[in-house]
Amino acid sequence: MTLLDEILKFNQSYIEDENNSYVHTDTKCSKMPSREMAIVTCMDTRLVNFLEDAMDIGRGEAKIVKTAGNCVTGPFDGVVRSLLVCIYELGVNEIFIIGHHECGMSKTTAASLSEKMLARGIAPEAIHMIRREMEHWADGFQHPGENVEETVDELRMNPLIPEDVPIHGLLFHPRTGEIEVIVNGYYVGLF
């Protein structure tokens, strides 16, 4: 049985389960985040459900954007575009950038990615085409806390994000659930 077959088999039993609170009792959940917040965080598998539980965030309460290393790579990259929709279309009034300890991006380099791409049959010309951008992104990530601070700064300086939207920077521990404040968005620019 393939992974897709396993998922579809489980899904059928999931939607038929009369005790499934998501399907049978939560019919009024809106696409609008009820806590008017967006979270940009890493795609690390250890954060799935754990981060939301540690922050007391339930279904329908926040928009969550996941990307490798919770990075922003440009003024109109996919993360920024998602945040613009969150702010201007979905009522988001605060943004939380959440990095985490033990992030795999701190060990990722453009060279290691290139080697693995070549080994999987990606053409050298294709890698060359994105080399500078990949070096800036992968080689620029050294420490999760510093990356959170830099991402907050990049978003704060982005002229497309309103100044009245607080942008917080947090660091999450994927083993303990502890959250550390790196940037308190309520106090940025007050000093």
Side-chain angles (χ1 to χ4, degrees), residues 8-99:
L8 293 175
K9 181 179 177 184
F10 175 82
N11 180 254
Q12 191 60 45
S13 65
Y14 180 82
I15 61 175
E16 293 172 358
D17 182 355
E18 291 184 21
N19 295 319
N20 184 329
S21 64
Y22 283 123
V23 175
H24 299 288
T25 61
D26 198 2
T27 59
K28 295 183 181 169
C29 192
S30 171
K31 68 179 179 181
M32 307 296 275
S34 64
R35 291 178 69 186
E36 301 176 344
M37 65 189 294
I39 295 170
V40 176
T41 193
C42 187
M43 63 183 192
D44 190 300
T45 57
R46 297 171 295 170
L47 277 58
V48 175
N49 296 333
F50 188 23
L51 177 64
E52 293 89 341
D53 286 351
M55 294 180 70
D56 192 29
I57 295 172
R59 182 174 184 226
E61 293 184 340
K63 292 295 180 185
I64 300 178
V65 179
K66 293 192 174 199
T67 187
N70 53 276
C71 296
V72 172
T73 59
F76 197 61
D77 76 350
V79 172
V80 173
R81 288 192 299 267
S82 294
L83 290 173
L84 295 177
V85 170
C86 287
I87 293 166
Y88 297 111
E89 299 288 338
L90 301 171
V92 163
N93 291 316
E94 292 194 41
I95 298 171
F96 292 78
I97 306 302
I98 306 176

Side-chain angles (χ1 to χ4, degrees), residues 21 45 63 71 92 109 117 122 133 144 157-158 162 181 183 190:
S21 64
T45 57
K63 292 295 180 185
C71 296
V92 163
T109 66
M117 289 178 181
I122 302 301
E133 186 177 349
M157 291 185 297
N158 190 313
V181 176
V183 177
L190 295 179

Side-chain angles (χ1 to χ4, degrees), residues 116-158:
K116 291 171 184 163
M117 289 178 181
L118 289 168
R120 296 284 300 268
I122 302 301
E125 299 80 22
I127 296 169
H128 180 74
M129 182 177 66
I130 61 162
R131 182 180 55 82
R132 283 194 182 104
E133 186 177 349
M134 188 165 55
E135 287 172 350
H136 173 75
W137 167 68
D139 296 343
F141 191 112
Q142 300 299 314
H143 185 274
E146 291 172 7
N147 183 66
V148 166
E149 195 168 3
E150 289 170 11
T151 301
V152 169
D153 287 346
E154 284 184 47
L155 290 174
R156 186 69 286 143
M157 291 185 297
N158 190 313

